Amino acid sequence: MRQAGTYSGILSGKMGPHLLPLARIKKIMKKSGDEVKMISGESPIVFSKACELFIKELTQRSWMVTMQGKTRTISKEDVASAVMATDLFDFLVNLVSGEATTPLEMETKI
Amino acid sequence: MDENVAASGSNDDDGIREQDQLLPIANVGRIMKQMLPQNAKISKEAKETMQECVSEFISFVTSEASDKCRKERRKTVNGDDVCSALAALGFDDYAAPLRRYFNRYRDLGVDNKAANQDKANNDSNSNEDREEQSSLKFSMIGISKNSSMRPID
């Protein structure tokens, strides 16, 4: 039996601040596929931590690329390079190679 | 939310990410900064790229987790499924600490004394950046009914 108090506390933020909004995480999870029907209360919480770890790892790797140059500003190309250099991030390869043409800018012109 | 004129209702998500499907740029930026020295800067585009990568990460792992549920004829994706999916996709380094983090939640929900003692110990650590502290220590503090992020003074 799940302890309702514990989990509702988590979701309503009584637990203390989360770094990432749980409702948004849940939305993104739902959009990942039609077969995703139901999501337990704790999975967005697990994801919020997983995303934090992911962001930190990718940031660290991007920074290593940045440091090879003269600037101290991480550019999107640095992030893309970090993705290309890491097998674990293969699933992102298409996403970052598409970044180069900034599709949003293209769309606005229409 | 409606700044992006291009956001259409089409199902084609390639390259077009509506703001709803991204985690807030401020939150993402904050986490990124935690990893960097003080003199480091992050371009807005880099943050935007990171936002998209995180969303893709969530979708990627969720698909794997929900596949597993389907095979096992379960309807609900739970925390363990997410951990298993992470391990299956190569994120072993995340899966173990996440399981511990998640299990502490379940345990601490029962035993508040342990949570409060842990919190007392951890609060005596450095108090440089409260925001960073609360985020980093969040995993250690876990659940506590009395938990409210008071200033560490």
Side-chain angles (χ1 to χ4, degrees), chain A residues 49 53, chain B residues 92-102:
Chain A
K49 193 70 187 156
L53 297 174
Chain B
D92 320 311
D93 291 343
Y94 300 6
L98 277 178
R99 276 190 210 275
R100 282 196 299 267
Y101 170 74
F102 180 48

Side-chain angles (χ1 to χ4, degrees), chain B residues 81-109:
Chain B
D81 295 325
V82 176
C83 289
S84 301
L86 285 165
L89 294 170
F91 295 93
D92 320 311
D93 291 343
Y94 300 6
L98 277 178
R99 276 190 210 275
R100 282 196 299 267
Y101 170 74
F102 180 48
N103 286 333
R104 275 180 71 89
Y105 263 175
R106 293 199 278 213
D107 294 343
L108 292 174

Side-chain angles (χ1 to χ4, degrees), chain A residues 75-90:
Chain A
S75 68
K76 69 173 191 221
E77 287 78 17
D78 295 335
V79 178
S81 298
V83 165
M84 301 301 185
T86 313
D87 284 345
L88 186 58
F89 297 151
D90 270 354

